Amino acid sequence: MIGLLRKSSLSFSFANRASTRFFTMSLPSRMKYVAYDDQGTLSVEDDAPTPSPGAGQLLVKVSASGVNRLDLMQRKGTYPVPAGESKILGVEVSGTVVSVGENSSCSQFQPGDRVCALVGGGGYAEYCVTPVETTIKLNDEVSFVDGAAIPEAFLTAYGGLYFSCNLTQGESVMIHAAGSGVGTAAIQLAKSLSGSSAIFATAGSQEKLDLCTKLGATHTINYKEADFSDAVLATTGNRGVDVIMDFVGGSYWEKNLRSIALDGRIVSLGLLGGPKTAEPLNMGTVLRKRVTLTGSTLRSRSLPYKARLATEFQQNAMPLFAAGQVKPIVDSVFSIGEATAAHDRMSSNKNIGKIILTF
């Protein structure tokens, strides 16, 4: 059936003003996508309607999509899809602009442009609609696989470090789950944008820690073998670090408080270790150290927030990719038909960097 639909699909040709090349795209009425049932079983189907861009939106032919832990949670029914977003998995894509919605603010994008984008859902599909405000142009030097590893990981890291924690030049930072996509992004941003005086990275394997060192971490700690708060205090002369980026949650609370410096900031981006602390909260340390604790998510944020984040990131961080100072860390690449294997790799915590699906 999908073949018949493709034979009867419309074909569009556009001149790309950035070059003399013409961009031609055949647009089917139905598309392939990764579906999941009530038991969380993944399958590739071909019966989803191809979306159309509305005002202020772009339609992207997806070349690659990033895999994120929230995809696994949504598949299991523990991460509700935000109202109005596609129920198809996937919150970051890279690919080629096919069509532009009717809105003058979309004029900076043209059919044929290579882009990556942060989306509210729908990334595990052949075509995806994205807001123009959260779409970023890709240089020709950046592959689609690398492009798909940028939006969620780097925007989450940038938002955590600079929007939530206001990391300033020369300040120290500790990054938990440092071998993850967000962790590897945060290390590079702290080094290249902030010139952080000390970058502590925690992870559970030497392989992950070695990569963190290559990316710019000045101190690495295997949390399975050592108490990271002891290591931080010993290294900093009991001062602690200015900023902590945490994905673990309750089980790290006391150690994070020990590790944070006076007037330090902690951003909580995940609850891998559960939401509850082992002991009742002692607010005395929070008051004494004047600690700022911020919780942050990205998918459920408002479009104006995401737009501000994407704009600032494109201005401040994207030039670093072209200069070779920052790069996405891709762990592995799977085809759309191997989505289950991709999810299994993430759930087993084997990945170092991003896992990518390709179409």
Side-chain angles (χ1 to χ4, degrees), residues 73-346:
M73 297 167 63
Q74 179 181 327
R75 167 189 171 188
K76 295 176 180 177
T78 59
Y79 195 111
V81 178
E85 299 293 358
S86 171
K87 290 182 171 58
I88 296 175
L89 297 169
V91 295
E92 59 182 338
V93 299
S94 65
T96 308
V97 175
V98 177
S99 59
V100 177
E102 295 182 0
N103 190 309
S104 58
S105 66
C106 295
S107 60
Q108 70 266 39
F109 292 100
Q110 306 162 47
D113 283 345
R114 302 172 72 255
V115 297
C116 65
L118 183 71
V119 298
Y124 288 18
E126 287 185 289
Y127 296 89
C128 182
V129 168
T130 172
V132 63
E133 295 94 337
T134 61
T135 304
I136 298 170
K137 286 187 179 181
L138 290 178
N139 295 329
D140 288 341
E141 294 79 14
V142 180
S143 70
F144 283 130
V145 166
D146 283 350
I150 293 176
E152 179 72 16
F154 276 89
L155 289 177
T156 297
Y158 191 96
L161 291 175
Y162 301 105
F163 282 27
S164 297
C165 291
N166 192 30
L167 180 67
T168 59
Q169 196 71 23
E171 285 192 312
S172 57
V173 60
M174 178 161 60
I175 299 163
H176 294 310
S180 66
V182 179
T184 55
I187 292 171
Q188 295 181 79
L189 292 177
K191 175 187 177 183
S192 297
L193 283 181
S194 302
S196 291
S197 58
I199 302 174
F200 291 83
T202 72
S205 74
Q206 191 58 48
E207 185 180 8
K208 292 182 178 182
L209 295 176
D210 288 343
L211 174 61
C212 294
T213 299
K214 291 179 181 178
L215 295 178
T218 57
H219 304 84
T220 59
I221 306 161
N222 188 327
Y223 66 83
K224 296 179 180 179
E225 300 175 354
D227 184 323
F228 64 79
S229 61
D230 288 341
V232 167
L233 294 176
T235 304
T236 63
N238 289 320
R239 179 186 180 277
V241 293
D242 298 299
V243 166
I244 296 176
M245 179 176 284
D246 179 43
F247 303 86
V248 181
S251 63
Y252 272 15
W253 173 247
E254 291 296 334
K255 293 178 182 179
N256 281 341
L257 277 187
R258 285 192 68 211
S259 303
I260 198 70
L262 190 68
D263 291 319
R265 290 87 70 198
I266 303 172
V267 60
S268 177
L269 297 171
L271 298 171
L272 295 175
K276 296 183 179 181
T277 59
E279 301 292 337
L281 290 180
N282 183 345
M283 296 301 293
T285 305
V286 175
L287 292 175
R288 178 173 56 83
K289 289 189 173 183
R290 301 191 296 267
V291 176
T292 299
L293 172 64
T294 305
S296 184
T297 59
L298 186 54
R299 188 181 191 183
S300 59
R301 289 280 193 175
S302 67
L303 183 57
Y305 175 92
K306 293 178 182 178
R308 184 167 67 94
L309 178 60
T311 298
E312 190 171 311
F313 177 82
Q314 181 147 15
Q315 292 173 347
N316 295 335
M318 283 304 290
L320 300 176
F321 290 89
Q325 294 177 258
V326 170
K327 62 180 180 180
I329 304 302
V330 175
D331 169 84
S332 50
V333 178
F334 295 83
S335 70
I336 182 177
E338 300 172 311
T340 298
H343 279 208
D344 288 346
R345 182 166 180 80
M346 175 163 283

Side-chain angles (χ1 to χ4, degrees), residues 69 72 208 341-351:
R69 200 164 292 276
L72 280 65
K208 292 182 178 182
H343 279 208
D344 288 346
R345 182 166 180 80
M346 175 163 283
S347 63
S348 65
N349 203 31
K350 293 179 180 178
N351 60 297

